[in-house]
Structure formats: C-alpha cells, structure tokens
C-alpha cells in the first residue's frame, strides 16, 4: 500500500504543479507585443490585400469601359439594338459580378458605378463628360460593330492578363468573363462580315 500511496501523491502533486504552471503567463501587466515574424506576416497580408484590391479595380474598370462602349454604340446606332443589346446585358452582368467584391470592401476608388447601371440613352451623356471617355463611335454600323468587337477583345485581354495574380475564386470569374468577351468579339465580327 505504501507504494501505491506514494505514487498517488506524486501523480497528484505533479498534476497540481502542471495545473498551476499553465495558469502562469509572462505578461508584465500589459498587452503582448507581436513578434517580428508576426509583424512581417501582417505587413505581407496587407500588401497582398492591397494588390488584390488593385487587381479587382482594374478588372472592374476594363468591364465598365467595355460597357460604356456598348452604350455609346447603341446610342449612335439604335438600329443595332436587337443584335447588340443582349451582349450589352451580358457585359453589364460581368461588370456587376466583378465589382461585387469591391462594393463589399467599400473602396472609394471604384466609383459610383453609374456607367454599369446607366441605360444606353443616359449612359452616353455620362460617358461624354467622364475623363475616360471612350473613342467616338464610327458612323458606319459595320465599322461600329468592328470597333465594339475590338473593345471586347481589349477587355478580354485585360482580364486574361490578370489571371495569374488573382486569387483562385476571382481567377475563375476573370477567366469566364474573358472567355465571354472573346465570344462577344467573335459574334460581333462574324455578324458584321455576314
């Protein structure tokens, strides 16, 4: 019995000491200072977040610029509405999808989004006074479609160029929007040739 009693006392004592030591901290009454590694990790996380926000702004800007081009083309050539309006609607949906993350972070650099929601009748009035005014729409409808296809290709290329720097979920969205832009360019040029 003596052996069991001693072991029980030793185990109980060790357990009590361990419990007492786990409650101890090295705080000197103030908040703990982050280590150099933690500060470096926080700076890197902030840098990555800023880079991703800039990438998203560039993607939204490319989509909104294309959308403004659609609006200008529809305003200059109302007869093209049946052919261009569905593509414009798709481009507006892409601009909204790409911009949702920016609205969630409430970034002031993304703008008010009037170009993405403006109707073709009012979008050109806003676009004509904006600093990034799109190039004038050619007077010939076929040339206007070719210019619109070029703008769709430019936006598609801009989205494709951002793929490697984008986080995975946003990269998938960019790839989809880029593919749709390439399809728009094809549809606009093939229809113009026919």
């Amino acid at each position: 019995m003596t052996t069991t009693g001693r072991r029980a006392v030793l185990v109980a004592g060790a357990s009590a000491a361990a419990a007492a030591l786990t409650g101890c901290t090295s705080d000197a009454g103030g908040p703990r200072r982050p280590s150099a590694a933690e500060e470096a990790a926080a700076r890197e996380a902030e840098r990555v977040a800023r880079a991703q926000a800039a990438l998203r702004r560039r993607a939204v800007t490319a989509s909104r610029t294309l959308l403004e081009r659609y609006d200008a083309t529809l305003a200059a050539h109302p007869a093209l509405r049946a052919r261009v309006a569905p593509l414009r609607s798709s481009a507006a949906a892409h601009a909204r999808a790409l911009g949702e993350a920016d609205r969630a972070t409430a970034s002031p650099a993304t703008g008010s989004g009037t170009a993405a929601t403006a109707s073709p009748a009012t979008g050109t009035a806003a676009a004509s006074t904006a600093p990034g005014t799109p190039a004038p729409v050619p007077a010939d409808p076929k040339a206007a479609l070719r210019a619109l296809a070029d703008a769709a290709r430019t936006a598609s290329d801009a989205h494709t160029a951002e793929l490697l720097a984008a986080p995975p979920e946003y990269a998938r969205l960019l790839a989809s929007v880029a593919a749709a832009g390439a399809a728009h360019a094809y549809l606009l040029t093939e229809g113009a040739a026919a």
Side-chain angles (χ1 to χ4, degrees), residues 1-11:
M1 280 220 187
T2 339
T3 310
T4 306
R6 261 189 261 156
R7 284 188 189 150
V9 169
L10 285 173
V11 169

Side-chain angles (χ1 to χ4, degrees), residues 163-190:
L163 287 175
L164 292 177
E169 191 71 24
Y170 202 68
R172 286 189 286 277
L173 179 60
L174 280 173
S176 295
V177 172
H184 286 197
Y186 174 79
L187 292 171
L188 290 165
T189 55
E190 286 302 308

